[in-house]
Amino acid sequence: MSDTHFAGLYDVLMEDAPYEDWMNYTVLRIKSEGAVLDLACGTGTFTLMLEEAGYQVSGADISDEMLAAAERKGRNEGKSTSFFKQDMRTVDGFSELDAVTLYCDGLNYLKHDEDVKQTFASVHRALKQNGVFLFDVHTPYKMEHVFDNQLYGENSESISYLWFCEPSDEPLSVTHLLTFFVRTQSGFYERMDEELYQRTYSPEVYKQWLEEAGFDQVQLSADFGSRPLEAEDDRCFIAAVKK
């Protein structure tokens, strides 16, 4: 499937995404009216929520089609948010930011150790001293148990999809195989296929790499920061401060 098709389906897949929970996690850790970069912003839903909450926000994504959808959404909502094409490993043109956000396991789409380390260094450069980096990732438990050869699906009149998860070759990695059936104006259904790869690491490894990149006060938590992380949690929330 092309990025154009997937961008058009992204908001359907994200209908039940916990945007309000991400926002609550964010506002507790970033001062109001701060300058924020929302990395891997997709179609910009959370980015525009940050603007609505009073932040000076920009969105960044590597997909042209996602960015085009985000810009249309911003115009339709009368927002002034700017969106930029950026690779999270080499963020360019941003400095002295109060915060960088990277939610919805966006970091897990990076395939190699060095990609993650480069992203941490890139974010560190873009932040001001005491700036905050907020993100979430899949846990090892989720990769090994929740995503282990599981099949998910949803059926509606306009769109149906099957989503199969299978382990990949690298440790703690998974390939998502998605098949969509989208109803066209003619009443027939068009099939679209998409393959996505994700990989994670232990929370302690993320903490070590953040500290090596120049962050401290690294906090690992579960349930949007509401409690300590436990072995069978499926998502880890991480907050780190630039020294």
Side-chain angles (χ1 to χ4, degrees):
M1 186 196 300
S2 71
D3 281 348
T4 302
H5 282 136
F6 190 62
L9 298 171
Y10 182 83
D11 285 338
V12 174
L13 293 174
M14 294 290 288
E15 281 181 344
D16 296 324
Y19 289 113
E20 291 294 339
D21 293 318
W22 282 319
M23 181 60 66
N24 292 335
Y25 179 77
T26 301
V27 298
L28 290 174
R29 292 161 178 83
I30 308 174
K31 66 181 182 180
S32 61
E33 301 182 0
V36 181
L37 175 63
D38 184 29
L39 276 179
C41 67
T43 59
T45 298
F46 184 72
T47 321
L48 297 171
M49 289 176 65
L50 287 170
E51 180 181 334
E52 186 72 24
Y55 294 102
Q56 304 168 43
V57 61
S58 299
D61 202 279
I62 200 168
S63 165
D64 290 320
E65 288 73 22
M66 291 286 192
L67 292 170
E71 289 172 350
R72 287 194 300 270
K73 190 180 294 182
R75 287 196 300 270
N76 291 339
E77 295 182 13
K79 300 292 196 305
S80 59
T81 302
S82 296
F83 293 93
F84 302 91
K85 184 172 184 178
Q86 295 273 346
D87 185 324
M88 69 178 75
R89 297 168 295 182
T90 54
V91 173
D92 184 47
F94 293 92
S95 62
E96 295 297 303
L97 293 169
D98 292 288
V100 172
T101 58
L102 176 53
Y103 292 134
C104 198
D105 45 83
L107 191 73
N108 291 137
Y109 289 97
L110 299 176
K111 189 169 186 177
H112 302 293
D113 302 17
E114 286 305 313
D115 294 328
V116 179
K117 294 177 183 179
Q118 289 171 15
T119 298
F120 289 169
S122 176
V123 170
H124 187 273
R125 289 191 298 270
L127 289 167
K128 64 168 58 172
Q129 186 176 6
N130 296 319
V132 182
F133 182 26
L134 304 174
F135 63 102
D136 60 14
V137 288
H138 295 314
T139 61
Y141 177 85
K142 188 169 189 176
M143 290 297 192
E144 294 177 333
H145 300 282
V146 179
F147 283 153
D148 184 22
N149 289 306
Q150 293 297 311
L151 178 65
Y152 306 92
E154 184 167 317
N155 183 39
S156 69
E157 185 174 342
S158 60
I159 180 171
S160 300
Y161 67 85
L162 297 172
W163 170 15
F164 181 67
C165 310
E166 62 181 14
S168 293
D169 295 335
E170 292 80 12
L172 300 177
S173 67
V174 64
T175 298
H176 304 286
L177 303 169
L178 296 100
T179 298
F180 299 89
F181 299 92
V182 182
R183 187 174 185 177
T184 64
Q185 291 183 345
S186 65
F188 293 100
Y189 286 83
E190 179 183 2
R191 174 174 172 167
M192 305 176 186
D193 295 293
E194 174 74 7
E195 181 174 314
L196 302 172
Y197 173 92
Q198 288 191 305
R199 184 181 184 184
T200 200
Y201 305 87
S202 74
E204 292 74 20
V205 167
Y206 285 117
K207 184 175 186 292
Q208 176 187 337
W209 289 347
L210 284 164
E211 291 172 344
E212 290 172 354
F215 290 93
D216 65 2
Q217 303 178 49
V218 180
Q219 298 177 356
L220 310 174
S221 62
D223 282 349
F224 303 91
S226 65
R227 61 175 177 81
L229 189 67
E230 298 177 359
E232 295 186 358
D233 285 317
D234 63 6
R235 189 178 294 271
C236 176
F237 293 81
I238 303 179
V241 177
K242 178 177 177 174
K243 292 180 181 178

